Amino acid sequence: MRVSVLVALLAGAAGAALVGAVYGPRDGLMTLVLLAGAAALVLGLGHLAAARRARLGSMRRKFTLATALATGGVVLSVWVGVAAMFVSRHDALVVTAMSAAMGAVAIRAGLLLSRGVIEDAEAVRAGLCAVEEGARDVHIPVRTADELGQVAEAADAMIVRLGSEEAARDRAERARRQLVAAVSHDLRTPLASLRLLVESVEDGMVTGADRDRYLRQMGAHVSTLSSLVEDLFELSRLEAGDVTWSLRQIELGRLVSDTVESLRVHADAAGVAVSADLPEGDLSAEANPEQVQRVLANLILNAIRHTPADGSVTVRAARGDGGVEVEVSDTGSGIAPEARPHIFEPFFRGDGARSGEGAGLGLAIAHAIVTAHGGDIWLEPSEGGTRVRFTLRSA
């Protein structure tokens, strides 16, 4: 309201200054009173209309009312001037006719200008209504770069962000359901066996050597359950970033050789040849040796399990751009194309999938450990067998 009062006074003062400079102070003062009063009345009606704009309906009506108020203010000031003997009736009639004609033209011009604004506003409204109904592939088409265009751009960005967040939420929910189903499946079998074994022992149905065998089986199932719980706990810590490893410079070539030798007994039992192909020279990296050895062991054991007898598993390491690359390759049956994008997901199982024995968390944990080291792990293209490669930062 203060701004409107100031505008009315400034408008009257500007007109009064012009008239006073030409016709004298008396006419200037009368012009000031006349214009300031008319401007105050028009702006007062404008404020009243703005306070009740919800009743006015469409934007077209609001544009028309604003133009009509301005035109009416001109006509009013002219006829007040007639009443004050400041303007002749002839001049007042001419000015009124001109004001009415130009007012009609101004209303039409305002409607033409408002048409694009209204169309853009309708486009924004329609787009938001579509989003409310569940659509996420919505683009709001506006033809201007004004405030409505900025609103449309912000709405488009919001829709894209909303779609991404909902897709991520849906993926997380599917992953949660799959995780619960997989854990339930892996818990059900050992628990059912444990229950039967315990009942048999408690009922005295087995004695002697059979009882000892049952107890060993119970211990094996307990060990399986313990490994599952430990792997789940470790995976949750890794994915949450709750790790407290100490990183230091390690000689990766020696670590690879030691790991291959420690797993040779598993390879020999499966009839698989395992070897390390390492270049000469230093292969230092910044990492936690225990965790890197765990990654290597998971990958090598997984490769041994999925390689037929008389096959081979080879571990290679070489210096790459900004780090060291390690590859575990085998001559097994490989991984089905549809399974490759999911190979590092917890509990993933499918034709050609290599989630491994036990809980099936080995590759998921390997992925989490490498990621926590700031490296990457992926499947390399291969015509035969499987090639898993990961990177570590150089020391």
Side-chain angles (χ1 to χ4, degrees), residues 340-360:
R340 294 177 70 88
H342 310 285
I343 194 64
F344 296 108
E345 296 177 3
F347 295 102
F348 175 74
R349 287 182 173 87
D351 295 335
R354 297 165 60 100
S355 54
E357 297 176 355

Side-chain angles (χ1 to χ4, degrees), residues 79-101:
W79 285 100
V80 169
V82 171
M85 303 301 292
F86 184 61
V87 179
S88 68
R89 288 183 176 274
H90 175 272
D91 293 341
L93 185 59
V94 172
V95 172
T96 299
M98 293 173 61
S99 299

Side-chain angles (χ1 to χ4, degrees), residues 184-333:
S184 301
H185 177 271
D186 284 353
L187 287 175
R188 186 180 297 114
T189 300
L191 285 175
S193 299
L194 275 173
R195 183 171 60 251
L196 293 174
L197 293 170
V198 170
E199 290 175 354
S200 299
V201 173
E202 288 180 344
D203 293 343
M205 298 175 58
V206 292
T207 58
D210 288 337
R211 184 175 183 274
D212 294 340
R213 180 167 55 85
Y214 274 35
L215 290 175
R216 287 193 299 271
Q217 292 177 3
M218 291 165 61
H221 288 309
V222 170
S223 177
T224 299
L225 293 173
S226 298
S227 297
L228 173 60
V229 172
E230 290 175 2
D231 285 347
L232 282 172
F233 180 69
E234 182 69 12
L235 184 60
S236 65
R237 288 179 62 248
L238 289 167
E239 291 182 341
D242 183 19
V243 292
T244 56
W245 308 326
S246 59
L247 303 182
R248 65 176 186 270
Q249 182 175 343
I250 63 172
E251 215 315 292
L252 193 59
R254 182 181 305 167
L255 185 65
V256 169
S257 297
D258 293 343
T259 306
V260 168
E261 288 303 318
S262 68
L263 298 176
R264 191 172 299 280
V265 63
H266 297 276
D268 292 343
V272 175
V274 60
S275 62
D277 182 6
L278 302 172
E280 296 182 358
D282 179 60
L283 278 179
S284 58
E286 184 179 5
N288 180 278
E290 290 80 12
Q291 297 300 325
V292 173
Q293 192 166 39
R294 185 176 185 183
V295 172
L296 285 169
N298 282 341
L299 296 180
I300 295 171
L301 285 173
N302 206 41
I304 292 172
R305 294 189 190 106
H306 293 86
T307 300
D310 297 330
S312 63
V313 174
T314 305
V315 184
R316 299 179 177 87
R319 187 163 299 283
D321 296 336
V324 179
E325 292 188 356
V326 182
E327 180 183 279
V328 178
S329 61
D330 62 59
T331 58
S333 58

Side-chain angles (χ1 to χ4, degrees), residues 152-162:
E153 290 179 0
D156 280 341
M158 178 202 69
I159 295 168
V160 171
R161 185 168 61 251
L162 179 61

Side-chain angles (χ1 to χ4, degrees), residues 47 103 121 145 179 213 261 308 358 373:
H47 276 281
L179 180 63
R213 180 167 55 85
E261 288 303 318
H373 276 80

